[in-house]
Amino acid sequence: MKSIVLDYARKNRHTLVAIGICGILLAIGGILRPGFSSYKNVLNILSLASFLGILAAGQTFAVLSGGEGLDLSVGAVASFSAIVAAHLLGPLNLPLVLVLLIIMALGAVLGLINGLGITYAQVPPLVMTLGMIGVINGLSLVYSGGQPTGSATELLQTISTGRIVGIPWILVIWLAFIFIVLFVLKRTTFGRALYAVGSNREAAYISGARVEIIKILAYSFSGLLSAFGGLMLLGFVQGVQYEMGSSYMLPSVIAVVLGGVSFSGGEGEYFNVVLGAIILTILTSLLTTLNIGEAGRMLVNGFILLALLTAFGRAEKMRQ
Amino acid sequence: MSNYLQVEGLSKRFGQVKALDNAELECSSGEIHALLGANGSGKSTLIKSLAGIVVPDQGDIYLRGEKVSIGSPQESLAAGIATVHQDFSLVPQLTVKENLFLGAEPLRKLGFIDFGEIKKKADRLFNSFQVEIPLGAKIADLSVSQRQLVEIVKAFSRDPDLLLLDEPTASLPSERVKILFDTIRELANREMAVVFVSHRYGEVQDLCEKATILRNGYSVGEVQVAETSKDKVVSMMLGEEATKKNYGDSEKQSSKAKSEAKSSLSFRAENVTAAAGNVEKVSFSISPGEVLGVGGLQGQGQETLLRALYGLEPTIEGTCTLGKETLHIRSPREAIRNGIVYISGDRDEGLLHSRTIRENISIANNANRPLWELIDVDQERQLAKKVIEKLDAVYESLEDPAWQLSGGNRQKLLIGRWLIKDPKLILMNDPTKGVDVQTKEKIYDLLYSLANDGVLILLFSSETKELISLADNLLVMYEGKVVEKLEGENITEEMVLSASLNTGNNKND
């Protein structure tokens, strides 16, 4: 029995450490500001974390695909889809389910363009997705004619901010979302192939995998999930603004790295990315509670990313 | 002046392998001296020691009777040595001009590079070779034979006292070879010492007076080329004992594979030609139960042939048939679908280092299924367990990442994954490269039992001995062509080497 526990601990070291960090941060918050670690506030923090967690899911697909995989456009896709969704829901008055489908298709197409550029035109992911930010932000302007209109409908607001038996709806949705993402990554042939391609592209190809298609799909998924995140964000913010998702770009990368997803690709679990998103959100609210401004929070985020990348980079080297 | 270059007792180890073991070499000014030896005899290591790329563990190098130490390519150049490397020393991203004078740029005042001077000098050199290669072209855009010429011109442009040529003719068309030889002779007349490494014995006869023969890293002796024969040189290269011992082995083992095969499918390849040009019109057939070997000197297109058959290298010609079916294979996926699998000894090429042992085995299945299909982890585990136990791999848990395994066990993983696919033809690209003796034995056993089950096997091995003892028949490749097919149980290393050297002879006549 003891060895099973130890074995579990060894294999899930990352998860346990992340949960530990969450606990420590909550405890520190509780000591500095009474009420920070109350049930109510923890639910609030988790709700906030869900938006980051959803966008970081897209990022996870991109990073897992390997070859310096990265999707910097997750925030831009979220912003654009929020603008389109607000327009479709408000002025056009389309039903939410239809809007959801349109938005996700839109996100998937944007991701597809990323994927095509990266695999066939061989543009490095960093450059490709950075360029796409400009393109997508331009699209936002063109689409809205300079003045984004519409807002979240009541139903969407309820989903993003309402509660069911005391639990925020968004957490229920996030839980279902986590389940679906884990299922795709762990139980489908696509997920398996994605890990294989990320781990060793050449080996996956020799084994018969259609490397290009899998990479393109990974970026399409990234776009699709980011668009979904944008819709949820619209419900949360209610009104619509330009680039409302762009502040999630850097945190989505940090959450992925915090979750132990390797930048060399093919290694890491979405569940740990979820924990990474939670840690980051706790930290942000802690800093806010302590009256540390936006600039201070950005500094902290930047330092965390650098520290993590240095630490993981060393671990990688030691292994070889 | 006699003995411009003198090498004494040069030794170099790479891990367990003795690449050089008391090697000796003497070459006078104005002499063109051949350095001969079989694969892995240390020729290239000796050349690299003189070029400053490899630093020997022991031994002395004398130039003009003075002891020198060569610790870097710069020191080698400064000592008046220029080298034409077998694997080229060109930077692909730079232009021809920049490469030619890399590290030896003629400088103007203030340290700026004098490009005018570079251009003049380069033009002169290329003119003497009667070639037209634009000086502004990037190396990456040149053909292999053009690169070879740039490499040669680069060495010549340094005005060396000692010129080292490591297989300079490997990718040159014959008319250029003639010009190259004339130039070398002219330089030798001007008192330059030249050390010439080639597998083409005909070229050695044509160009060199004396030859030093290396075997397993030491110098077996120096011969006057005119007074010896190819057969004598070959037996010096191999040593008597080696050939005899091997003979017994091959007899014992190949009979094992000869037993009745269960399947009756055979494979035929006709006129397979790789787009890269290093495999030309190769035809052969493998009959049920046969292990067909591809051998010869290193890098004669054997690996490209295997990769081309698997769809990893584009081909411009060739038809393959398996049984009655004609195959059109353009990717590994299509090969696998037709029952052809590829096992590489290059573990970086096949292993998913960061993934679990279980996933490394099931990838053979999972990579070839529709993407939306679901995975049954329990079944995966059972399959992995079966395969890995069949091969006696040592592991702790199926959930451990593959990088934790030892080299031999990783190799077992790479081979084992294909057993779950019931392949009809296995292409083995040096499957025992760098593995321990026990793993080798295990791989041999597996190979025989597969052959017995009627699986067709095309085997390339960088160890000729191993190839002879495993293969029933052997294709000897030279410069991308099959130059001889050796059949039966009495194949010897000598025959393989002789077949390779023969071509060199013909080509130059």
Side-chain angles (χ1 to χ4, degrees):
Chain A
M1 186 60 209
K2 200 181 164 197
S3 75
I4 293 174
V5 173
L6 278 178
D7 201 43
Y8 180 84
R10 187 171 59 91
K11 291 224 171 79
N12 298 285
R13 208 176 42 230
H14 215 102
T15 311
L16 296 174
V17 169
I19 291 173
I21 293 175
C22 288
I24 292 168
L25 284 175
L26 283 175
I28 293 174
I31 293 164
L32 292 175
R33 290 281 188 275
F36 184 80
S37 46
S38 68
Y39 174 71
K40 202 178 135 221
N41 196 45
V42 170
L43 278 189
N44 265 336
I45 290 174
L46 286 178
S47 306
L48 281 175
S50 62
F51 302 105
L52 175 56
I54 290 168
L55 292 186
Q59 193 68 264
T60 305
F61 276 83
V63 175
L64 278 181
S65 73
E68 276 122 40
L70 189 68
D71 189 352
L72 293 180
S73 67
V74 289
V77 171
S79 309
F80 182 46
S81 66
I83 287 170
V84 175
H87 179 243
L88 296 179
L89 287 169
L92 296 188
N93 208 8
L94 296 180
L96 184 58
V97 178
L98 185 61
V99 173
L100 177 73
L101 291 178
I102 294 174
I103 289 301
M104 301 224 303
L106 185 69
V109 169
L110 293 173
L112 180 78
I113 297 171
N114 273 330
L116 288 173
I118 288 161
T119 50
Y120 290 117
Q122 299 191 352
V123 184
L126 182 95
V127 177
M128 183 70 210
T129 58
L130 194 64
M132 275 300 274
I133 293 179
V135 173
I136 295 168
N137 286 344
L139 278 177
S140 299
L141 274 174
V142 171
Y143 182 85
S144 61
Q147 188 61 56
T149 52
S151 60
T153 55
E154 216 161 287
L155 177 61
L156 186 57
Q157 285 181 30
T158 311
I159 288 172
S160 283
T161 57
R163 282 164 191 257
I164 173 172
V165 291
I167 295 168
W169 264 113
I170 187 71
L171 283 188
V172 178
I173 288 174
W174 193 22
L175 209 63
F177 178 88
I178 292 170
F179 178 79
I180 294 170
V181 169
L182 284 178
F183 184 82
V184 170
L185 287 177
K186 305 296 259 184
R187 286 287 181 274
T188 64
T189 320
F190 164 68
R192 210 30 88 65
L194 177 63
Y195 275 106
V197 169
S199 176
N200 186 346
R201 190 195 148 98
E202 175 89 355
Y205 182 65
I206 285 182
S207 307
R210 280 171 297 187
V211 175
E212 275 93 7
I213 292 180
I214 287 156
K215 278 201 138 183
I216 290 168
L217 274 177
Y219 283 93
S220 303
F221 261 104
S222 178
L224 181 148
L225 300 180
S226 305
F228 176 71
L231 187 68
M232 292 296 112
L233 204 59
L234 175 67
F236 182 71
V237 182
Q238 292 163 22
V240 60
Q241 315 154 17
Y242 277 121
E243 299 186 22
M244 58 198 278
S246 65
S247 62
Y248 283 95
M249 179 181 95
L250 190 60
S252 76
V253 179
I254 303 175
V256 164
V257 180
L258 260 174
V261 177
S262 160
F263 255 118
S264 44
E267 197 179 3
E269 310 292 337
Y270 177 58
F271 188 71
N272 290 337
V273 174
V274 167
L275 292 173
I278 294 173
I279 290 177
L280 213 55
T281 313
I282 298 177
L283 192 68
T284 312
S285 17
L286 184 61
L287 295 175
T288 315
T289 321
L290 296 176
N291 293 324
I292 293 170
E294 175 77 19
R297 294 203 297 270
M298 281 169 75
L299 266 175
V300 171
N301 276 348
F303 275 121
I304 294 177
L305 184 60
L306 286 176
L308 286 171
L309 288 178
T310 317
F312 284 122
R314 283 172 62 124
E316 198 92 358
K317 263 187 207 129
M318 275 163 66
R319 184 194 296 170
Q320 289 150 6
Chain B
M1 202 193 333
S2 69
N3 283 359
Y4 177 82
L5 167 75
Q6 192 164 350
V7 174
E8 279 180 10
L10 212 63
S11 299
K12 176 73 188 174
R13 266 175 176 282
F14 294 108
Q16 295 291 310
V17 185
K18 270 188 192 169
L20 282 180
D21 186 8
N22 267 315
E24 323 251 307
L25 178 66
E26 284 174 9
C27 181
S28 349
S29 290
E31 181 190 344
I32 306 171
H33 192 99
L35 192 57
L36 300 171
N39 287 339
S41 59
K43 301 179 303 271
S44 284
T45 312
L46 181 52
I47 294 291
K48 283 178 183 163
S49 302
L50 294 170
I53 292 169
V54 165
V55 180
D57 302 328
Q58 266 171 36
D60 299 316
I61 298 167
Y62 297 90
L63 291 176
R64 287 200 189 89
E66 262 175 62
K67 193 174 159 182
V68 291
S69 86
I70 300 171
S72 69
Q74 286 80 9
E75 284 175 24
S76 172
L77 264 178
I81 303 173
T83 313
V84 172
H85 292 281
Q86 189 182 6
D87 39 8
F88 303 163
S89 58
L90 307 172
V91 184
Q93 292 85 2
L94 294 183
T95 61
V96 172
K97 186 167 70 179
E98 287 160 344
N99 263 288
L100 285 178
F101 298 91
L102 198 63
E105 291 94 352
L107 291 187
R108 288 205 290 205
K109 277 177 204 160
L110 297 172
F112 290 110
I113 296 173
D114 189 346
F115 281 110
E117 178 64 18
I118 290 182
K119 194 177 165 347
K120 253 195 290 178
K121 209 164 172 185
D123 277 337
R124 208 164 53 230
L125 282 163
F126 278 113
N127 278 340
S128 73
F129 270 97
Q130 306 164 25
V131 278
E132 279 171 34
I133 298 175
L135 290 179
K138 269 192 191 168
I139 295 297
D141 300 331
L142 299 184
S143 73
V144 183
S145 79
Q146 285 175 317
R147 284 183 212 187
Q148 177 87 69
L149 275 169
V150 176
E151 176 82 17
I152 290 168
V153 167
K154 181 180 165 189
F156 284 7
S157 74
R158 307 285 154 95
D159 300 323
D161 298 321
L162 170 62
L163 182 66
L164 309 172
L165 300 156
D166 194 356
E167 298 207 42
T169 57
S171 36
L172 282 190
S174 49
E175 67 275 11
R176 296 267 180 260
V177 171
K178 202 180 164 305
I179 301 174
L180 173 69
F181 284 6
D182 289 344
T183 319
I184 294 175
R185 282 194 199 98
E186 195 189 307
L187 291 170
N189 281 338
R190 284 192 257 144
E191 292 300 287
M192 188 193 284
V194 180
V195 176
F196 180 74
V197 178
S198 175
H199 279 308
R200 300 176 178 171
Y201 192 68
E203 293 181 355
V204 172
Q205 282 177 316
D206 194 13
L207 196 64
C208 307
E209 258 174 72
K210 284 193 241 171
T212 294
I213 290 141
L214 287 179
R215 180 168 82 226
N216 299 331
Y218 66 93
S219 308
V220 190
E222 196 187 81
V223 294
Q224 298 284 335
V225 176
E227 289 164 20
T228 187
S229 67
K230 198 191 85 191
D231 289 345
K232 255 189 206 154
V233 170
V234 167
S235 72
M236 281 178 88
M237 282 160 78
L238 291 175
E240 301 259 340
E241 334 81 310
T243 32
K244 266 187 193 149
K245 197 169 72 201
N246 191 51
Y247 183 78
D249 269 13
S250 74
E251 203 167 34
K252 186 186 89 226
Q253 292 187 319
S254 70
S255 54
K256 222 165 140 189
K258 273 276 139 64
S259 56
E260 263 320 284
K262 286 176 193 161
S263 149
S264 56
L265 224 51
S266 57
F267 178 81
R268 287 184 65 80
E270 260 167 77
N271 290 329
V272 175
T273 304
N278 49 354
V279 170
E280 250 179 85
K281 294 197 183 290
V282 169
S283 304
F284 61 90
S285 65
I286 313 175
S287 48
E290 181 182 353
V291 178
L292 181 65
V294 227
L297 301 164
Q298 259 165 35
Q300 304 299 323
Q302 299 98 330
E303 295 184 65
T304 311
L305 172 65
L306 264 65
R307 291 172 63 88
L309 294 173
Y310 193 58
L312 278 170
E313 294 274 342
T315 52
I316 45 176
E317 205 191 326
T319 37
C320 295
T321 48
L322 185 61
K324 280 177 189 150
E325 229 177 305
T326 307
L327 309 175
H328 301 280
I329 291 165
R330 278 154 304 167
S331 72
R333 196 181 176 83
E334 288 172 359
I336 295 163
R337 192 167 293 160
N338 285 298
I340 300 174
V341 304
Y342 171 82
I343 293 166
S344 169
D346 183 351
R347 290 183 282 279
D348 283 332
E349 200 179 45
L351 207 67
L352 310 170
H353 299 271
S354 60
R355 304 313 301 166
T356 63
I357 296 173
R358 167 174 55 86
E359 284 175 51
N360 262 288
I361 291 173
S362 62
I363 179 80
N365 267 335
N366 291 336
N368 296 289
R369 290 165 56 195
L371 292 174
W372 55 84
E373 278 189 14
L374 302 186
I375 282 169
D376 181 346
V377 178
D378 282 334
Q379 195 198 347
E380 222 180 11
R381 205 167 280 141
Q382 283 165 16
L383 217 55
K385 207 164 188 159
K386 218 167 73 186
V387 163
I388 210 158
E389 272 163 14
K390 187 170 182 181
L391 285 164
D392 286 335
V394 183
Y395 68 103
E396 226 177 277
S397 154
L398 285 175
E399 304 304 313
D400 284 339
W403 61 265
Q404 284 185 358
L405 295 176
S406 69
N409 285 311
R410 289 184 200 183
Q411 192 59 26
K412 287 178 183 172
L413 215 59
L414 288 187
I415 297 178
R417 67 159 65 130
W418 293 116
L419 299 182
I420 63 180
K421 296 295 281 181
D422 288 327
K424 297 180 184 123
L425 168 65
I426 304 183
L427 308 165
M428 290 197 177
N429 185 353
D430 220 353
T432 61
K433 186 157 122 194
V435 302
D436 54 287
V437 183
Q438 281 111 319
T439 307
K440 272 188 185 174
E441 288 296 326
K442 201 74 212 168
I443 293 173
Y444 298 161
D445 285 348
L446 183 75
L447 200 133
Y448 289 130
S449 84
L450 286 168
N452 272 338
D453 289 346
V455 179
L456 308 170
I457 294 172
L458 184 63
L459 172 75
F460 163 69
S461 170
S462 53
E463 280 177 57
T464 307
K465 265 183 216 166
E466 177 182 281
L467 201 56
I468 291 169
S469 65
L470 289 176
D472 298 310
N473 300 311
L474 189 65
L475 304 173
V476 180
M477 283 185 73
Y478 189 78
E479 295 188 345
K481 298 188 188 84
V482 172
V483 289
E484 201 156 328
K485 185 176 180 187
L486 301 171
E487 291 184 357
E489 297 177 5
N490 299 339
I491 307 170
T492 62
E493 244 183 305
E494 213 157 3
M495 289 159 75
V496 179
L497 194 58
S498 189
S500 307
L501 293 175
N502 253 336
T503 14
N505 232 351
N506 297 339
K507 184 155 182 155
N508 228 43
D509 283 347

